[in-house]
Amino acid sequence: MAEVLVYVDHVDGAVRKPTLELLTLARRIGEPVAVHLGAGADTAAATLAEYGAVKVLTADAPEFADYLVVPKVDALEAAYNAVSPAAVLVPSSAEGKEIAARLAVRIGSGIITDAVDLEAGDEGPVATQSVFAASFSTKSRVTKGTPVITVKPNSAAPEAAPAAGAVEQLAVSFGSASTGTKVVARTPRESTGRPELTEAAIVVSGGRGVNGAENFPVIEALADSLGAAVGASRAAVDAGWYPHTNQVGQTGKSVSPQLYIAAGISGAIQHRAGMQTSKTIVAINKDAEAPIFELVDYGVVGDLFEVVPQLTEEIKVRKG
Amino acid sequence: MSLRIVVCVKYVPDATGDRHFAEDLTVDRDDVDGLLSELDEYAVEQALQIAEDADDAEITVLTVGPEDAKDALRKALSMGADKAVHVEDDDLHGTDALGTSLVLAKALEHVGYDLVVSGMASTDGGMGVVPAMLAERLGVPQVTLLSEVKVEDGKVTGRRDGDAASEQLEAALPAVVSVTDQSGEARYPSFKGIMAAKKKPVQSLDLSDLGIEADEVGLEGSWTKVDEAAERPARTAGTVVKDEGEGGKQLAEFLAGQKFI
Ligand SMILES: Cc1cc2nc3c(=O)[nH]c(=O)nc-3n(C[C@H](O)[C@H](O)[C@H](O)COP(=O)(O)OP(=O)(O)OC[C@H]3O[C@@H](n4cnc5c(N)ncnc54)[C@H](O)[C@@H]3O)c2cc1C
Ligand SMILES: Cc1cc2nc3c(=O)[nH]c(=O)nc-3n(C[C@H](O)[C@H](O)[C@H](O)COP(=O)(O)OP(=O)(O)OC[C@H]3O[C@@H](n4cnc5c(N)ncnc54)[C@H](O)[C@@H]3O)c2cc1C
């Protein structure tokens, strides 16, 4: 069976959920071969094998952390040359898309980004995309070269399928371009202990209606009662009430959770672009005319400072 | 020596309009008004600030797009760019990201540049891949997704806010930069700027000027193919209740019914 390269997104060997989804999707079109760059391959290998990786190609070098993007492209290209895969799958993060883009140029292959589903087709993998602020759904395929496809988080439920997961060292020679952009300093983002926004099953977002950074704990308390991630609209982010890394929408994160709760958010097209594929949508807004109500499964017209704390209390009671 | 800045700007269908697909499954551009991609205004803004800080700089705005794409160039010129280059050719219809980056790269080499500035993503395709592709094709550093950017002593530095960390980046010119909408509000064109833009030069180039064969681009030359495009069923509005004091409890009841609690 044809092999499919899966680029592994991880933090020191802790494999992130979108990669497990990719392994699951990869099995529909071939045998997954995982590419793990940087530290922690030993830890990662077991997880990757559990989710179906027949092989784990690993490389570690200071270049991956010291320079932007290109060293990782060099390594993925080396894996591509070693395997001659039927497709290359990369998680749709900002960096993932850049890695995929450069690889596509190098190997002369077409690229599809932000796929939300993937299936085998007669002429290669068929990718479903959700476009125009999720108002259209398209099916596309790559017609030249080896399909390079980036897949959005929450596109599949990870399924365990134990495989050999044999770890092999990947020989990488870094090209002259690899040291072009130096990372001179790095400030890690502080962990909040809450789930990752793009991976969370439930997201609770606050907008301009939250009316101040000092009120965001109201949103956080609801999120914590549900084990959810916290999101924000751009209006809330621009006002400095919540970090930009939590922004949901066109220029923020695109989320696709089981449940999305929008509190004090009007539902502008750019916000919808980032949340409209959520399975269940709930909104709390004091304006009955707010466009967000056009998409909700359940909406409450009311003051979020009344509704949200009452909801949080009720959830706590029900959860005992 | 003058710093040659080229800003890549895209002409896109208005996102608030009713966007849809044409017969050939390319985006129907005839039915919707177009405009300069709002995210490219941030690129123009940063280019203007970099030019203001430099002793001597010249800003060219570059687009690949249909006849109407001149509107996007005029907007950028009215914000303060010096001149414009428009790559326009009937054979470009349906060009995908790889094709677009090929044309842009050839045009950049044709025009000459020290610094290329792009937006973080277009507001229509939104792939966020063209700047990285340009850096790959041109063989120059990519300094992308910057929320802060500075050019000094032949070097570009900037801040990239990623998921896991915020990074400070540095590269030597020539380089490709892309900026996010966190980089700073774009200025509005002044009346004077709008008047001045009318007199600024707009150079038109076609594929033969750039030495690109027609079959390398367009729908036929595309590396990807859209087989189906279906309008998603509009979400039918569900239950909306008015809070009469029990709104939170009613919502909890709904969430419990859906097994979220
Ligand atoms: C190029 C571009 C990219 C963009 N990208 C994004 C993006 O990624 N994400 C994004 O979110 N936006 C984005 N925007 C901005 C977007 O257009 C909207 O301006 C933004 O989403 C509005 O945020 P909001 O809904 O919080 O604020 P508003 O539109 O001001 O809505 C606030 C809502 O809160 C309600 N409200 C007020 N007080 C209360 C209360 N006490 N209880 C209940 N409800 C209350 C009001 O009725 C109102 O509906 C982008 C815009 C552009 C041009
Ligand atoms: C809904 C939709 C879905 C699509 N899906 C795919 C797909 O899956 N695969 C595919 O190959 N193509 C796809 N396309 C085609 C896509 O529009 C073109 O490939 C596009 O030219 C490049 O991608 P982008 O617009 O997403 O640019 P991005 O990579 O998002 O653009 C980033 C920056 O590059 C610069 N730039 C981009 N295009 C131009 C231009 N024409 N002129 C000047 N500067 C520019 C701008 O500075 C812009 O801010 C899709 C188009 C649409 C509308």
Side-chain angles (χ1 to χ4, degrees):
Chain A
M1 195 147 98
E3 291 172 309
V4 176
L5 281 186
V6 172
Y7 182 86
V8 177
D9 185 12
H10 68 95
V11 182
D12 294 328
V15 181
R16 292 179 56 183
K17 187 165 150 260
T19 301
L20 306 181
E21 297 170 16
L22 285 196
L23 289 167
T24 304
L25 291 172
R27 282 192 281 110
R28 296 188 190 162
I29 49 179
E31 290 190 319
V33 172
V35 181
H36 183 285
L37 307 179
D42 293 341
T43 326
T47 312
L48 297 168
E50 189 188 334
Y51 285 88
V54 296
K55 232 187 292 180
V56 180
L57 303 176
T58 73
D60 193 6
E63 277 84 350
F64 296 131
D66 294 350
Y67 301 95
L68 193 72
V69 174
V70 190
K72 293 172 180 165
V73 182
D74 288 347
L76 193 55
E77 187 187 19
Y80 168 83
N81 289 329
V83 168
S84 305
V88 181
L89 306 185
V90 182
S92 258
S93 59
E95 186 186 60
K97 291 207 271 187
E98 292 187 332
I99 292 171
R102 297 189 71 130
L103 180 74
V105 171
R106 274 195 204 179
I107 65 176
S109 293
I111 176 171
I112 290 173
T113 55
D114 293 324
V116 295
D117 199 7
L118 205 58
E119 62 210 0
D122 295 339
E123 295 160 291
V126 176
T128 305
Q129 286 165 293
S130 175
V131 305
F132 293 161
S135 60
F136 273 85
S137 177
T138 61
K139 283 191 195 296
S140 311
R141 69 202 148 78
V142 167
T143 48
K144 288 188 197 171
T146 303
V148 177
I149 303 174
T150 79
V151 182
K152 288 220 293 189
N154 282 333
S155 294
E159 290 162 18
V167 178
E168 281 177 28
Q169 208 62 36
L170 182 66
V172 184
S173 58
F174 295 110
S176 57
S178 69
T179 54
T181 309
K182 227 187 286 176
V183 179
V184 291
R186 177 178 286 121
T187 319
R189 195 150 64 84
E190 270 177 56
S191 164
T192 58
R194 295 195 178 90
E196 199 61 50
L197 186 56
T198 52
E199 300 169 20
I202 303 180
V203 174
V204 181
S205 291
R208 202 194 302 271
V210 174
N211 201 23
E214 68 282 7
N215 298 328
F216 253 86
V218 174
I219 302 296
E220 291 177 328
L222 173 58
D224 292 342
S225 75
L226 289 162
V230 177
S233 72
R234 178 161 135 182
V237 167
D238 282 354
W241 303 341
Y242 224 65
H244 177 246
T245 38
N246 296 70
Q247 183 179 314
V248 171
Q250 188 186 18
T251 55
K253 300 279 162 52
S254 145
V255 302
S256 199
Q258 295 298 318
L259 172 63
Y260 187 82
I261 303 181
I265 293 178
S266 62
I269 181 110
Q270 297 90 351
H271 188 79
R272 291 178 181 210
M275 49 65 77
Q276 199 155 335
T277 53
S278 304
K279 306 293 175 301
T280 299
I281 298 175
V282 166
I284 300 144
N285 195 307
K286 67 179 183 191
D287 175 11
E289 304 294 317
I292 190 88
F293 285 124
E294 292 161 19
L295 1 153
V296 297
D297 295 283
Y298 198 92
V300 180
V301 179
D303 186 336
L304 74 91
F305 295 107
E306 307 284 334
V307 178
V308 173
Q310 189 181 68
L311 172 61
T312 308
E313 248 345 280
E314 187 66 19
I315 291 167
K316 283 189 193 151
V317 169
R318 284 175 187 249
K319 284 194 167 174
Chain B
M1 218 183 56
S2 176
L3 177 71
R4 295 167 302 167
I5 306 173
V6 183
V7 189
C8 297
V9 298
K10 191 179 182 187
Y11 177 74
V12 299
D14 187 347
T16 55
D18 186 16
R19 296 176 294 179
H20 50 259
F21 287 85
E23 291 274 312
D24 63 356
L25 296 184
T26 61
V27 177
D28 190 339
R29 290 170 195 279
D30 296 335
D31 254 21
V32 202
D33 287 340
L35 43 80
L36 168 62
S37 174
E38 280 163 303
L39 294 171
D40 292 346
E41 291 182 16
Y42 294 89
V44 175
E45 177 62 37
Q46 289 308 311
L48 290 167
Q49 292 189 18
I50 290 165
E52 282 158 13
D53 288 347
D55 292 336
D56 180 18
E58 183 188 52
I59 302 175
T60 305
V61 285
L62 165 66
T63 197
V64 174
E67 166 71 27
D68 293 348
K70 286 203 171 57
D71 292 353
L73 295 174
R74 286 285 169 217
K75 171 90 188 264
L77 290 172
S78 65
M79 287 172 73
D82 300 300
K83 59 192 180 74
V85 174
H86 184 189
V87 185
E88 177 184 15
D89 198 307
D90 288 344
D91 290 324
L92 281 167
H93 174 79
T95 306
D96 68 2
L98 279 161
T100 301
S101 69
L102 173 72
V103 178
L104 283 172
K106 294 274 191 194
L108 284 162
E109 278 165 349
H110 183 92
V111 172
Y113 63 92
D114 301 303
L115 178 70
V116 179
V117 188
S118 297
M120 62 185 286
S122 71
T123 56
D124 61 339
M127 295 173 74
V129 294
V130 167
M133 286 177 173
L134 286 178
E136 179 70 35
R137 290 191 186 278
L138 296 168
V140 303
Q142 79 166 75
V143 200
T144 46
L145 299 173
L146 301 181
S147 49
E148 260 170 31
V149 57
K150 215 173 182 66
V151 173
E152 244 168 12
D153 308 326
K155 270 191 324 207
V156 49
T157 54
R159 196 179 84 227
R160 172 170 164 125
D161 294 320
D163 277 351
S166 176
E167 293 167 331
Q168 200 62 37
L169 305 178
E170 183 183 295
L173 296 182
V176 173
V177 159
S178 78
V179 301
T180 72
D181 59 339
Q182 299 290 300
S183 59
E185 274 307 306
R187 68 194 65 185
Y188 285 105
S190 63
F191 178 70
K192 209 171 127 222
I194 294 168
M195 296 315 287
K198 297 193 168 142
K199 300 204 189 76
K200 290 177 179 172
V202 178
Q203 182 189 6
S204 281
L205 298 173
D206 62 17
L207 289 175
S208 65
D209 293 324
L210 301 177
I212 298 172
E213 299 295 328
D215 62 5
E216 290 180 82
V217 294
L219 203 51
E220 290 306 311
S222 189
W223 279 259
T224 47
K225 187 167 187 309
V226 179
D227 286 326
E228 277 175 55
E231 196 155 4
R232 289 166 69 97
R235 291 189 83 106
T236 41
T239 315
V240 178
V241 300
K242 195 167 167 356
D243 178 34
E244 313 270 7
E246 297 283 296
K249 287 188 179 157
Q250 286 167 283
L251 183 46
E253 187 61 37
F254 168 79
L255 294 179
Q258 302 284 315
K259 309 259 183 295
F260 288 116
I261 311 176

